[in-house]
Amino acid sequence: MRKILIVEDDDAIRTGLCRSLSSDTLDTAGVENLMSARQRLDAERYDLLLLDCNLPDGNGIDFCRELMKRVTMPVIFLTVCDSEVDEVAAFRAGACDYVKKPFSLMVLKERISALLERAEWRSDLYVDRRYRFDFPSLEFFVDGTRVYLGSTEYKLLAALVKNAGKVLSRAALTDALWEGGEELNENALSVAVSRLRGRLGEKSISTIYGFGYMWVGDRE
């Protein structure tokens, strides 16, 4: 089930979009202002954001720019603002699409579908409320602040995140980090985990005593 958040102050449009976009595979929620949007995004993870430009408590473009500093998610603007300046500003803020009102519901559904499918291709990108890891680009952010990882820390994080929610044995992690070809002190893996926790936060990696470790991200 994919989740869409609709930020729109027009009650009729917001209610209509929630009803029309909801399906067996799409769950929608609507809010009328940016304060409520922040609360929702802090409490839950969404797969796509539909965002108006002009809202009672602020500007949607500024909100999008702020949001992109801490998460990565597709954003589609739905707005009556039809100036080229606003459209360019929206894309520069991180928007994926810019749809002017009035719009075709059928076309909007196709745009949403295309963006959600494209997001699924980014299996090399991990994002939750605290963390954003772009492995190919070697860019790692915690609460919007970039952190830098050494080679061993990078390999360890990649192995854990790829298997998020699964327990990896110490032997499996040792092989992933050092390819099983070195004689290692038994504390080497513990040291590597400790260093990674120091970069990302103690609760990001759970210890399963007597077996290994598991990536939990911001779940705890």
Side-chain angles (χ1 to χ4, degrees):
M1 179 71 73
R2 312 304 294 275
K3 299 175 68 174
I4 297 176
L5 181 62
I6 301 165
V7 188
E8 167 62 63
D9 62 329
D10 187 300
D11 292 340
I13 294 177
R14 186 176 66 255
T15 302
L17 283 171
C18 284
R19 184 183 301 115
S20 299
L21 296 177
S22 294
S23 69
D24 292 339
T25 58
L26 279 181
D27 182 29
T28 61
V31 295
E32 63 183 8
N33 55 47
L34 296 177
M35 181 179 69
S36 297
R38 289 187 180 93
Q39 292 171 347
R40 286 272 190 165
L41 291 167
D42 285 340
E44 301 179 58
R45 181 175 178 178
Y46 289 89
D47 298 289
L48 186 141
L49 182 67
L50 293 180
L51 180 62
D52 197 355
C53 276
N54 297 318
L55 290 150
D57 55 348
N59 182 282
I61 294 175
D62 292 337
F63 176 75
C64 180
R65 187 179 298 110
E66 167 197 322
L67 184 66
M68 290 300 107
K69 291 179 181 179
R70 59 188 182 92
V71 301
T72 297
M73 66 187 303
V75 176
I76 299 178
F77 275 94
L78 295 177
T79 177
V80 295
C81 299
D82 60 357
S83 76
E84 187 176 276
V85 172
D86 287 326
E87 189 168 355
V88 169
F91 282 116
R92 287 181 174 174
C96 295
D97 208 342
Y98 192 91
V99 178
K100 299 170 185 175
K101 301 174 183 176
F103 53 86
S104 163
L105 184 59
M106 183 179 296
V107 173
L108 177 61
K109 286 182 176 180
E110 290 302 315
R111 289 173 184 257
I112 290 172
S113 178
L115 281 175
L116 289 176
E117 288 179 8
R118 193 181 308 164
E120 289 180 349
W121 299 341
R122 291 301 310 273
S123 59
D124 52 10
L125 180 70
Y126 174 86
V127 179
D128 64 22
R129 286 175 292 182
R130 289 200 67 204
Y131 303 105
R132 179 181 182 275
F133 305 144
D134 191 330
F135 289 96
S137 300
L138 300 179
E139 293 182 344
F140 307 99
F141 294 87
V142 180
D143 295 327
T145 300
R146 187 170 183 178
V147 297
Y148 296 88
L149 305 180
S151 175
T152 299
E153 294 165 349
Y154 169 85
K155 291 178 182 178
L156 176 58
L157 180 62
L160 289 168
V161 169
K162 183 179 179 180
N163 296 278
K166 299 178 183 179
V167 181
L168 294 182
S169 69
R170 292 181 62 89
L173 286 170
T174 299
D175 285 344
L177 268 59
W178 294 284
E179 300 179 357
E182 296 182 17
E183 291 294 329
L184 296 171
N185 181 289
E186 63 178 9
N187 291 325
L189 179 59
S190 299
V191 171
V193 171
S194 179
R195 287 178 176 171
L196 186 57
R197 282 174 170 157
R199 300 270 194 260
L200 307 180
E202 289 295 321
K203 294 183 178 181
S204 58
I205 302 169
S206 179
T207 299
I208 311 302
Y209 291 99
F211 189 77
Y213 301 94
M214 178 175 67
W215 173 260
V216 294
D218 72 345
R219 197 171 66 189
E220 292 192 347

